[in-house]
Amino acid sequence: MTYSVLVFDGGSGRFGVGVVSGSVAVGSRVPLGRGGLGVVVTQGYTNPLFSRYILEYLDRGYDAEEALDKALAGDPDPRYRQVGVLTAEYGVAMYTGEYVPMERGGLSRGDCMCIGNLLSSDEVLSSMLSACNRFSSLEDRILKALEAGSRAGGDARGDRSSAILIYGEHPIFKGYDKLLDLRVDYSMNPVKDLMELYEIYREAYHVKQDNCFNLVDPPGIEPGTSALRGRRPTTRPRAHPPIDSIL
């Protein structure tokens, strides 16, 4: 079904999560995080509410195990769930229910966690963890771990979608913590496509070593100028209808 990698980068204080699945649009429901707090994946037969509940419990001061236990206690049937939680201050936690399909499991070493189910073999997770610890940048650690998992066989049904998300303190917009959110919702090679998409993103936004993101001006537009300067709109904008006409 799904395999994921969760990583904390102590140098920058950022969290990252990468995920691959044989299902469509895995990035829309499995991974979630919060800058300064941690990242969570909820997979298997996914309960998409888990991540929000666990992050809220962490924010209230519960450690990772406690937050996971409280979320599981409110689930109608946790035997179908697989959940991974990674934080900097509140520890890590993993859970795999007895009805989650084999091969399944989770591995954790230092600041990296790999967790998955319905895998082609148990080598998927070990390959991911090994790759995660061979690289230095957060993005490389996540993408290379996903690549290693895919090469080891990945989802037993075949990989079809992927995603990478990074959370941390934005260098410009304080209070906005989602630094990166890239997804491949359907592909015959979603990991390769995700890595290529990240390279396009990195070049377009000038992702630097200091983690600042500077948008490149679109082709044909001088830096610092407006694309609409000196032009008239072709049609007059329509006025918004009165509120009482909508209700």
Side-chain angles (χ1 to χ4, degrees), residues 199 217 241-242:
E199 286 303 312
D217 292 289

Side-chain angles (χ1 to χ4, degrees), residues 110-133:
D111 54 8
C112 179
M113 174 191 293
C114 300
I115 186 169
N117 62 84
L118 196 60
L119 304 172
S120 62
S121 75
D122 57 8
E123 294 181 4
V124 173
L125 297 179
S126 59
S127 297
M128 291 174 67
L129 189 63
S130 177
C132 182
N133 289 303

Side-chain angles (χ1 to χ4, degrees), residues 160-177:
R160 292 296 177 266
S161 65
S162 61
I164 178 173
L165 294 93
I166 305 291
Y167 295 89
E169 183 178 349
H170 197 283
I172 300 173
F173 304 110
K174 305 302 181 184
Y176 183 76
D177 66 348

Side-chain angles (χ1 to χ4, degrees), residues 47 50 53-54 57 65-79 81 83 95:
N47 180 341
F50 263 24
Y53 291 159
I54 290 171
Y57 289 136
E65 290 283 357
E66 292 170 336
L68 176 56
D69 287 345
K70 288 181 71 67
L72 290 170
D75 188 270
D77 200 339
R79 295 174 296 176
R81 320 301 181 201
V83 187
Y95 170 82

Side-chain angles (χ1 to χ4, degrees), residues 3-5 20 114 119-132 134 141-156 159 191:
Y3 55 97
S4 303
V5 57
V20 180
C114 300
L119 304 172
S120 62
S121 75
D122 57 8
E123 294 181 4
V124 173
L125 297 179
S126 59
S127 297
M128 291 174 67
L129 189 63
S130 177
C132 182
R134 285 201 305 268
R141 295 183 71 187
I142 294 171
L143 292 171
K144 293 297 185 180
L146 297 182
E147 182 181 45
S150 182
R151 287 181 173 176
D155 190 312
D159 299 338
V191 175

Side-chain angles (χ1 to χ4, degrees), residues 24-79:
V24 175
V26 66
S28 67
R29 61 191 176 276
V30 167
L32 193 66
R34 191 179 299 177
L37 196 60
V39 282
V40 182
V41 292
T42 171
Q43 50 198 50
Y45 298 95
T46 302
N47 180 341
L49 295 173
F50 263 24
S51 297
R52 297 182 185 277
Y53 291 159
I54 290 171
L55 289 170
E56 182 60 32
Y57 289 136
L58 291 171
D59 195 44
R60 294 180 184 181
Y62 292 96
D63 66 30
E65 290 283 357
E66 292 170 336
L68 176 56
D69 287 345
K70 288 181 71 67
L72 290 170
D75 188 270
D77 200 339
R79 295 174 296 176

